Amino acid sequence: KEIESALLEKHKTCEELRQLKEKASLQDNELSEEMEKVGDLSIKLDSSERRCSRLKEYIAKLTRKCEGWADSYKSQNLELKETRQELREELSKVSDLARQMSDMSNVMKKIQDKHAKEKKKWDQEIERFKDKVEKDNTKDSDASCKECKYLRRAIAKEGQRKELNISIVRNELDQREK
């Protein structure tokens, strides 16, 4: 019985050993498969790390470009503000000059109107004196004719001065318009 029991025990142990070997073989196969998976994953990890590194470099490069663009936009914005301010100042100057031109034009018109009235008045005065001279020529002596002659010259010179003043103002306005 002891032998039988020892044989039974041996048989049991052999069976357990065979099962353990089978189990070990299965686990060894699983371990090999897992090692292959680990190898594949290790390769994938290395590839992902290289890709991640390249992406980090690319993002850093893009960040530097963005910062450069931001600096450029800031300087362009400043220049634009300065240019707009200069434009406003120049438009203000143009407005002032236009107002001055309008004022000068009004002054010129008043001067022309005054000149036209004075010319008309002087023309009437000359006509009266001509009529008087003609009457006096028929009546009076040579002395009164000389007096009229001098008076006519004085009147003509005064009219020429007025016309000269008006032409000077016109020239000034023409120069300012240019």
Side-chain angles (χ1 to χ4, degrees):
K1 266 187 162 190
E2 275 184 37
I3 294 184
E4 273 186 28
S5 121
L7 278 179
L8 189 62
E9 182 106 3
K10 180 182 171 189
H11 186 350
K12 236 186 199 181
T13 306
C14 281
E15 185 61 31
E16 283 179 9
L17 182 64
R18 186 188 58 77
Q19 285 178 353
L20 283 174
K21 281 183 182 180
E22 234 179 72
K23 196 174 184 184
S25 175
L26 284 175
Q27 287 179 345
D28 193 36
N29 286 340
E30 285 178 12
L31 181 62
S32 290
E33 288 176 9
E34 291 299 318
M35 289 303 285
E36 282 181 32
K37 286 181 184 178
V38 166
D40 290 345
L41 289 175
S42 178
I43 292 170
K44 284 183 181 180
L45 177 65
D46 289 344
S47 174
S48 294
E49 285 176 349
R50 283 191 305 272
R51 185 170 181 242
C52 181
S53 176
R54 284 193 312 262
L55 287 175
K56 282 180 183 178
E57 289 174 14
Y58 181 69
I59 288 171
K61 183 179 175 182
L62 287 179
T63 301
R64 285 190 298 275
K65 279 186 180 182
C66 287
E67 289 169 353
W69 290 338
D71 292 342
S72 175
Y73 290 147
K74 284 178 187 176
S75 68
Q76 287 176 358
N77 196 16
L78 260 175
E79 288 176 18
L80 183 61
K81 284 180 182 179
E82 290 172 0
T83 303
R84 284 182 180 155
Q85 181 61 33
E86 289 173 6
L87 177 63
R88 280 192 289 275
E89 290 170 3
E90 293 302 319
L91 287 175
S92 175
K93 287 178 185 178
V94 167
S95 177
D96 290 344
L97 288 173
R99 191 178 64 256
Q100 288 176 3
M101 283 296 296
S102 176
D103 293 346
M104 287 300 270
S105 178
N106 291 337
V107 167
M108 183 66 183
K109 188 174 189 289
K110 287 178 184 177
I111 290 172
Q112 287 174 340
D113 291 346
K114 185 177 179 183
H115 173 69
K117 287 177 185 175
E118 286 183 15
K119 188 173 187 297
K120 186 176 178 182
K121 180 180 165 185
W122 282 107
D123 288 344
Q124 289 172 351
E125 206 57 36
I126 289 170
E127 285 302 317
R128 266 192 280 139
F129 281 122
K130 281 183 183 178
D131 290 344
K132 186 176 180 184
V133 168
E134 284 181 27
K135 288 180 187 176
D136 287 345
N137 276 345
T138 55
K139 292 182 191 172
D140 292 336
S141 67
D142 195 30
S144 67
C145 286
K146 283 183 182 178
E147 196 178 307
C148 290
K149 181 179 173 183
Y150 293 127
L151 186 58
R152 269 186 264 130
R153 280 186 190 163
I155 291 169
K157 283 184 181 180
E158 184 65 28
Q160 288 173 352
R161 274 192 226 138
K162 295 286 182 182
E163 286 181 25
L164 181 62
N165 286 342
I166 288 174
S167 68
I168 289 172
V169 170
R170 281 186 185 150
N171 287 339
E172 286 179 10
L173 283 175
D174 288 344
Q175 288 176 355
R176 287 184 183 175
E177 286 178 2
K178 291 178 184 177

